[in-house]
Amino acid sequence: GSSGSSGPATDWLSAETFESDLDETRVPEVPSSLHVRPLVTSIVVSWTPPENQNIVVRGYAIGYGIGSPHAQTIKVDYKQRYYTIENLDPSSHYVITLKAFNNVGEGIPLYESAVTRPHTSGPSSG
């Protein structure tokens, strides 16, 4: 319920975003790049931010899963440029998605797939 609103609701029309010139009226654009480096039980994900720096990016949403990126979702800070997905299964085909988001919503995702390495105990004999 919107009860107890003080003052006229039209004030926001004249209010300029003086604190920053960044635009948060639309979702962020797609990140510039996405790189995955599969290990045995983890995948190192690194990326670069969207080329359009004028739209606010609050953070990045990383989705991953075997065959589908919707099994798990991790949200990281907008300052981060890499993340290590851990506790994975060896020799499994993971799909990773990365999208930037802000208060408006989530942008277009980038997709990458990676196959984790087979589990080897000790020196490989063969």
Side-chain angles (χ1 to χ4, degrees), residues 59-82:
Y60 297 93
I62 303 166
Y64 68 94
I66 296 180
S68 163
H70 307 298
Q72 301 280 340
T73 302
I74 295 146
K75 296 201 171 178
V76 299
D77 194 75
Y78 73 96
K79 293 192 290 282
Q80 279 199 233
R81 295 292 178 263
Y82 60 89

Side-chain angles (χ1 to χ4, degrees), residues 34-47 61-66 68-69 71-76 80 82-89 94-98 112 114 116:
L34 171 61
H35 298 284
V36 295
R37 191 166 78 235
L39 303 174
V40 178
T41 58
S42 61
I43 296 174
V44 180
V45 186
S46 60
W47 63 88
I62 303 166
Y64 68 94
I66 296 180
S68 163
Q72 301 280 340
T73 302
I74 295 146
K75 296 201 171 178
V76 299
Q80 279 199 233
Y82 60 89
Y83 184 86
T84 303
I85 304 171
E86 294 176 322
N87 302 321
L88 303 180
D89 296 331
Y94 283 87
V95 181
I96 293 114
T97 178
L98 172 81
E112 276 287 347
T116 48

